Amino acid sequence: MSFVKSLLSRRAFTALAGAAVIATAMPAPSFAADVTIPIIVKDTTSFYWQIVLAGARKAGKDLGVNVPELGAQAESDINGQISILENAVAGKPAAIVISPTEFKALGKPIDEAAKSVPIIGIDSGADSKAFKSFLTTDNVQGGRIAADGLAAAIKEMTGKEEGEIVILTNLPGVGSLEQRREGFLDQVKTKYPGLKVIADKYGDGQATTGLNMMTDLITANPNLVGVFASNLILAQGVGQAIAENKLGDKIKVIGFDSDDKTVGFLKDGAIAGLVVQDPYRMGYDGIKTALAVSKGEKVPENVDTGANLVTKANMADPKIDALLNPKIK
C-alpha cells in the first residue's frame, strides 16, 4: 500500500481505537453485561497488539460478550501486567484471555488466577499448566522460517548460503522470543553450516536500542551479511539502521511481525523479509475459545495460528495482503 494510504489507514485505526476506549466508558449493552471476558495483552501501544485487540473486539461484538481491553504500556512492564491480571480476576469475569509478558514471572500469578477463573493463553507461554487452551504461532517453526528466509536472501545476494550473521532478541525470558531464537539457531546449525552466528544479543524492549545495537554491529563487523530481528520492535530499529547506512544490498534482514514502518523497509529493500503471524485471529479466536470454556464446552489444548514469510515478491498475494492489512473495524 502507498505511504498515504498507509498513513490514512493508521489514522483511521487510531480513531477507531479511540472510539473503542470511549465506548468502554459508556454503559454496556444489556446483552454484553451478562458475560465479561477481559483480554490482557503485553503492550496496548504496539500496532501488533492493537491488531490482537481489534480481533478480540470483533469477537465480542459477534458473540455478544463484553471484552475489556487491558494491558501495560510496555512489554517490559511485567509487574504491571501481574497487577492487571489480579484486578481482572477480582472482577469475577467468565474467563480471561492473556498473553504473558514473561515466561517465569507470570507462571504463579496465572496458576493463582486459574483457581478462580478459566485462563486462555495467546501468543506467548508462561510457566503454568493452568491454561484451558493456548492459541499461538508455532514460534519454533517461525524461527526456522526466518532462518530459511535469511539463507535464501543471502544466497540471492552472494550466490551462496555462507557468511557472518547475528540474531537479536527484544527481551530475555519471553517465551515466544526464546522459541523463535531456538528455532532459528537450530535451523542454521543443521541446515546452513556455512552461516556463522557471530553475535546473539538481547535488547531492552526499545526500538532505539535495536537501532543502536545494529549500528554498533555494522561498525564492528564489516563482513556481516545477515540479521534476524525476532520481533516488531527490533525489526523497526534494525531496519532503520540498515536504511540510514544504505546497506540493504549488503546486509539482509529478516524481521518478525509487521507494521507500516517495517513494510516500508521491505518495499525499499532495507528488510528482505518478515515472518508474519495472524494476531487478529489470536484475538478473535481467543475470545471465542474463552466463551466456549466458560460454557463448559470442550476446546483444543493447543491451536497453531500460523506464520508466513513475507517478501517483496509475494506481499501482493491476497493471503499475504490480508495479514499485512488486517481488518480493524
Side-chain angles (χ1 to χ4, degrees):
M1 59 186 168
S2 69
F3 175 76
V4 173
K5 182 179 178 183
S6 167
L7 184 59
L8 289 173
S9 67
R10 289 300 300 275
R11 286 176 176 172
F13 183 86
T14 302
L16 283 165
V21 171
I22 294 171
T24 58
M26 299 172 65
S30 58
F31 72 86
D34 297 331
V35 178
T36 294
I37 300 175
I39 180 168
I40 304 172
V41 297
K42 297 181 184 181
D43 172 6
T44 56
T45 68
S46 164
F47 186 56
Y48 176 85
W49 295 110
Q50 288 169 1
I51 298 171
V52 172
L53 293 176
R57 190 180 312 131
K58 182 63 165 61
K61 291 178 181 177
D62 289 351
L63 302 171
V65 174
N66 180 35
V67 182
E69 300 172 12
L70 309 175
Q73 297 296 297
E75 293 194 18
S76 56
D77 188 4
I78 298 168
N79 290 332
Q81 191 186 55
I82 292 173
S83 296
I84 290 167
L85 173 60
E86 291 171 347
N87 289 335
V89 171
K92 298 181 179 179
I96 292 174
V97 178
I98 185 170
S99 178
T101 53
E102 206 273 341
F103 184 81
K104 290 288 186 183
L106 268 292
K108 288 184 179 179
I110 287 172
D111 284 342
E112 192 63 28
K115 295 176 182 177
S116 305
V117 59
I119 305 294
I120 305 299
I122 60 171
D123 185 79
S124 295
D127 191 11
S128 171
K129 299 186 183 302
F131 293 109
K132 294 295 185 182
S133 183
F134 196 79
L135 299 87
T136 186
T137 303
D138 181 340
N139 282 292
V140 173
Q141 178 61 16
R144 294 191 187 107
I145 291 170
D148 290 342
L150 186 58
I154 291 170
K155 185 176 182 179
E156 183 178 355
M157 176 177 65
T158 67
K160 52 190 177 182
E161 296 166 342
E162 296 179 6
E164 297 180 353
I165 63 173
V166 300
I167 178 170
L168 303 178
T169 303
N170 192 41
L171 288 165
V174 178
S176 58
L177 302 186
E178 294 296 346
Q179 289 165 357
R180 292 170 198 172
R181 176 180 172 275
E182 172 192 336
F184 179 85
L185 292 173
D186 181 68
Q187 190 79 337
V188 168
K189 181 179 178 180
T190 58
K191 194 173 178 181
Y192 306 108
L195 296 178
K196 181 182 179 183
V197 179
I198 61 168
D200 181 0
K201 295 180 176 292
Y202 288 89
D204 60 3
Q206 303 298 318
T208 51
T209 301
L211 169 62
N212 293 335
M213 288 169 66
M214 191 65 235
T215 301
D216 291 344
L217 285 165
I218 290 169
T219 302
N221 302 280
N223 296 321
L224 186 65
V225 295
V227 182
F228 174 38
S230 68
N231 87 329
L232 177 61
I233 293 172
L234 270 184
Q236 291 170 344
V238 170
Q240 185 175 341
I242 297 296
E244 288 179 356
N245 290 278
K246 297 180 173 58
L247 290 172
D249 60 344
K250 294 183 179 179
I251 299 175
K252 295 303 176 182
V253 177
I254 301 295
F256 216 101
D257 298 326
S258 67
D259 66 352
D260 291 345
K261 188 169 186 177
T262 54
V263 169
F265 288 144
L266 184 65
K267 291 178 178 177
D268 295 341
I271 286 179
L274 297 168
V275 180
V276 176
Q277 306 178 79
D278 195 343
Y280 189 92
R281 179 185 172 190
M282 281 187 207
Y284 191 101
D285 286 0
I287 297 299
K288 184 178 179 180
T289 302
L291 179 61
V293 168
S294 74
K295 294 178 177 179
E297 298 174 11
K298 188 174 181 179
V299 298
E301 289 185 11
N302 294 283
V303 177
D304 179 6
T305 52
N308 293 270
L309 179 67
V310 179
T311 64
K312 195 172 182 178
N314 72 359
M315 64 190 301
D317 292 353
K319 177 184 176 182
I320 299 299
D321 182 68
L323 294 173
L324 294 178
N325 301 289
K327 296 178 181 179
I328 55 178
K329 293 184 179 180

